[in-house]
């Protein structure tokens, strides 16, 4: 949804605002100044040429002179630019004129500072999904009592303004101005679908600039009201106002229609008519009709533009995604009655996993590594150091005499079987994500071909992976200091190999154990050829490394959601995930994984699984489920937070008919249906934590303004969850109606997306949740 309410159409021959210089606050130059003053085109072009020529001269001097000379040149340039466009003086009162800017530390005529979101001096762009509303703010101000206005402009990679929004001053004392922008509309198109080429054109590196200007009209109205009320210099004030209205009507930057110009000129005649009372004269310029013109087509004096701030607009599913993980070898596996041995599944039987994921409303299917598994030091059940003759080994022990990272495990099938599996996924509207684990078994071809890629012990043997007290004798980690370039090249080759087979997403295993620069190089190389590919970082580690990996190009990140279980922990983590950090790091909420099963999930039974699913699905735009969750697989390996009978080391034979006994699969489908229905669930930037009185009940709301919802209607969802899987809890939920744009003078109707029941809500709302009835409400607001 694009709102081009107004854009500078008069600065320079291109019809767009033409910054002079490349500094921190890039003024639109003398051409904008003279245009604002109603100067003829010849004068506009001459003034613009003077400013540009002066800037080039300054840059040449700066390249070969001292800092003192640079400062002197800058002062000279600013002085000349001021001369190029002198202010129009009316009865002693002038209006602001742009000041050219050539250095990052120079201010323009209007001061613009503290742009947000911004990190690391804008080295890394903020990231949003196509159609996802996002918030920007800045300090915009001038000297003295002058009023200012501000506009936020989103430009695409070609420099074209695609969204222009007037900003609102939200804190006058601190000069803070804010706006919400949106790059096009939300889309669910996938990379292989018809029409995606048009989506692709809208992606990539964008910029946001803040335009600030002196709001001469608003300043005049404020002063005129006071002067007329106090009978102070009334005639001069009104005469100045009449001339201001005429100048406004002639200013092409305002983008006025013929009717708007006529409205202003007619108003100017009344303001200048000395036969009328001063109140009548002012009323001609101070009324609702003129206020509309002022809001939509303002007179912008001293127009100043900030430096561009980078934003990366990413494809559908980069932020709003629902993941489903399963092991192909367990899908369709069964016990042979004759031998008593497990017959593993393969890519053909694994279609059942695709169909289950689709039925439950997920849109990404994630597979662990599918390459051949080594036999040297192969681990047995639950990670036993000695494997039995029928133990299949861990898929993460990659590589054998049958091939390495670019080969398919023969037990699963052939490459053609894998392509057919992906084709079926695409028919169902599912993306396939593949695990990329950059380590290998002792049997991997790399061990002989590239011994320099591995660390060795003092005795000359290759060091296996370890995280004391845990050891992974079946895995050799990669060393990056001997041949970083070669390892990067091979990693890119492998990823491209799987992309050509139909993979569109990589879930990367333990990226935090490799150099961040390595991933930055690899992801950039892959995206250069395949910009549609997404990356999920499985990095349960320190926040600094997780954030750095996000900066390096990981689209989404595993996070510590699983260990945030108390009300206080959840409220803090929800705000963090959906706050400013959400522009750079997209936390994906998973209740469990094959590696992690918390005490909360272990101890709270079916209700606990339901609670964590609701929090994951509604607390983040991106969430995921590891299969078996529907069957309440919640037994821990003793002394650990890992799943007992871990699927990493064995083939699971599951009876999926038992899922009906628990109802979790139905809940998962309901959660994904609610997410798909409500635009408010798509954003990392619209969550408000709600106050509740009970320490076991957490509540939050998501709201998307109707201008950005795609439906034209505001969309608000309120989530209330009882964290106690054993006991009933009651509370009052306090809703800040004014902040959420909800009715403040009457109750409004809410509908529970999980049960269909309806309630009336207002400021204070009584809620009772019992784990044997409802663990949560997901309430859609109907007003």
């Amino acid at each position: 949804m694009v709102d081009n309410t107004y854009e500078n159409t008069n600065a320079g021959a291109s019809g767009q605002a033409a910054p002079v210089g490349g500094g921190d606050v890039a003024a639109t130059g003398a051409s904008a100044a003279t245009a604002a003053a109603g100067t003829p085109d010849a004068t506009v072009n001459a003034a613009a040429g003077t400013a540009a020529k002066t800037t080039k001269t300054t840059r040449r001097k700066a390249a070969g002179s001292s800092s003192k000379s640079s400062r002197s040149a800058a002062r000279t340039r600013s002085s000349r630019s001021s001369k190029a466009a002198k202010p129009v003086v009316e009865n002693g009162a002038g209006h602001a004129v742009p000041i050219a800017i050539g250095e990052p530390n120079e201010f323009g005529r209007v001061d613009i500072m503290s742009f947000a979101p911004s990190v690391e001096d804008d080295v890394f762009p903020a990231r949003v999904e196509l159609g996802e509303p996002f918030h920007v703010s800045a300090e915009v101000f001038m000297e003295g009592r002058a009023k200012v206005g501000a506009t936020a402009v989103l430009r695409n990679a070609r420099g074209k303004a695609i969204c222009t929004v007037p900003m609102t001053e939200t804190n006058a004392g601190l000069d803070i101005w804010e706006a919400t922008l949106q790059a096009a509309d939300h889309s669910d198109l996938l990379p292989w679908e018809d029409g995606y080429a048009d989506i692709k054109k809208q992606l990539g590196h964008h910029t946001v600039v803040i335009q600030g200007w002196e709001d001469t009209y608003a300043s005049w109205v404020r002063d005129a009201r006071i002067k007329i009320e106090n009978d102070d210099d009334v005639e001069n004030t009104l005469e100045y106002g009449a001339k201001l209205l005429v100048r406004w009507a002639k200013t092409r930057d305002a983008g006025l229609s013929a009717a708007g110009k006529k409205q202003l000129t007619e108003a100017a005649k009344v303001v200048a008519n000395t036969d009328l009372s001063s109140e009548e004269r002012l009323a001609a310029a101070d009324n609702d009709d003129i206020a509309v013109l002022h809001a939509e087509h303002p007179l912008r004096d001293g127009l100043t533009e900030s430096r561009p701030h980078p934003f990366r607009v990413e494809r559908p599913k980069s932020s709003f995604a629902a993941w489903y993980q399963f092991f192909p070898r367990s899908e369709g596996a069964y016990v042979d009655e004759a031998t008593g041995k497990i017959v593993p599944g393969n890519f053909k039987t694994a279609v059942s996993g695709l169909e289950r994921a689709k039925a439950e409303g997920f849109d990404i299917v994630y597979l662990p590594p599918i390459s051949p598994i080594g036999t040297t030091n192969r681990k047995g059940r639950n990670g036993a150091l000695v494997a039995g003759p029928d133990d299949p080994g861990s898929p993460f022990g990659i590589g054998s005499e049958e091939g390495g990272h670019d080969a398919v495990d023969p037990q699963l099938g052939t490459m053609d079987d894998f392509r057919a599996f992906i084709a079926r996924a695409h028919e169902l509207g599912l993306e396939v994500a593949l695990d990329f684990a950059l380590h290998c078994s002792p049997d991997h071809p790399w061990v002989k071909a590239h011994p320099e890629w591995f660390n060795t012990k003092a005795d000359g043997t290759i060091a296996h992976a370890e995280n004391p007290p845990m050891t992974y004798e079946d895995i050799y980690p990669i060393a990056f200091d001997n041949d970083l370039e070669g390892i990067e090249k091979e990693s890119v080759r492998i990823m491209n190999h799987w992309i050509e087979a139909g993979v569109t997403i990589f879930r990367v295993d333990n990226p935090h154990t490799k150099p961040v620069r390595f991933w930055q190089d690899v992801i950039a190389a892959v995206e250069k050829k395949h910009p549609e590919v997404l990356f999920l970082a499985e990095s349960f580690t320190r926040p600094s490394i997780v954030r750095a990996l996000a900066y390096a190009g990981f689209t989404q990140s595993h996070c510590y959601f699983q260990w945030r279980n108390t009300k206080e922990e959840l409220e803090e983590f929800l705000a963090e995930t959906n706050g400013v950090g959400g522009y750079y790091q997209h936390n994906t909420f998973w209740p469990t994984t094959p590696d992690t099963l918390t005490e909360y999930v272990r101890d709270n039974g079916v209700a606990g699984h339901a609670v964590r699913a609701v929090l994951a699905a509604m607390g983040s735009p991106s969430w995921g489920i590891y299969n078996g969750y529907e069957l309440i697989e919640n037994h821990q390996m003793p002394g650990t937070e890992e799943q007992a009978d871990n699927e990493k080391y064995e083939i699971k034979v599951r009876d999926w008919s038992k899922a009906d006994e628990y109802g979790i699969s139905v809940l998962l489908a309901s959660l994904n249906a609610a997410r798909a229905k409500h635009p408010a669930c798509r954003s990392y930037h619209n969550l408000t934590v709600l106050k509740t009185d009970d320490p076991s009940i957490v509540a939050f709301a998501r709201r998307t303004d109707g201008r950005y919802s795609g439906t034209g209607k505001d969309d608000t969802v309120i989530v209330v969850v009882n964290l106690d899987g054993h006991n009933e809890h009651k509370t009052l939920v306090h809703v800040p109606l004014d902040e959420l744009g909800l009715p403040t003078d009457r109750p409004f109707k809410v509908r529970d997306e999980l049960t269909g029941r309806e309630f009336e809500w207002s400021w204070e709302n009584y809620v009772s949740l019992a784990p044997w009835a409802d663990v949560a409400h997901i309430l859609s607001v109907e007003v």
Side-chain angles (χ1 to χ4, degrees), residues 329-393:
R329 69 187 186 184
S330 293
E331 290 294 328
Y334 64 93
V335 178
D336 188 319
E337 293 182 0
T339 63
K341 294 183 178 181
I342 294 176
V343 178
N346 52 46
F347 287 131
K348 293 179 180 179
T349 62
V351 169
S352 63
L354 296 177
E355 293 171 344
R356 185 171 62 256
K358 178 66 175 179
E360 293 179 1
F362 292 93
D363 44 48
I364 298 173
V365 165
Y366 153 49
L367 309 180
I370 59 173
S371 298
I373 300 171
T375 56
T376 299
N377 296 329
R378 175 178 286 188
K379 290 196 171 185
R381 289 191 63 186
N382 288 320
L385 295 180
V386 179
D390 298 320
D391 287 331

Side-chain angles (χ1 to χ4, degrees), residues 156-236:
N156 63 18
R158 296 176 296 279
K160 180 181 179 181
I162 61 172
C163 184
T164 302
V165 176
M167 302 184 77
T168 300
E169 188 175 27
T170 57
N171 190 319
L174 297 178
D175 299 305
I176 296 175
W177 292 73
E178 303 182 54
T180 298
L181 296 167
Q182 183 182 37
D185 293 320
H186 172 76
S187 172
D188 290 314
L189 277 176
L190 297 170
W192 60 86
E193 294 181 325
D194 292 341
Y196 183 77
D198 292 332
I199 295 296
K200 186 176 178 180
K201 294 176 183 178
Q202 302 177 70
L203 309 179
H205 292 285
H206 290 51
T207 57
V208 171
V209 296
I210 303 300
Q211 295 177 338
W213 68 89
E214 181 185 14
D215 194 341
T216 316
Y217 168 78
S219 294
W220 172 75
V221 167
R222 175 199 60 197
D223 291 347
R225 290 171 180 171
I226 296 172
K227 287 179 176 292
I228 289 173
E229 182 179 353
N230 293 278
D231 195 21
D232 176 20
D233 198 21
V234 171
E235 192 56 42
N236 278 325

Side-chain angles (χ1 to χ4, degrees), residues 67 173 233 293 340 419 544 573 676 685:
S67 59
D233 198 21
L293 288 181
R419 291 192 182 98
S544 57
F573 200 67
H685 317 298

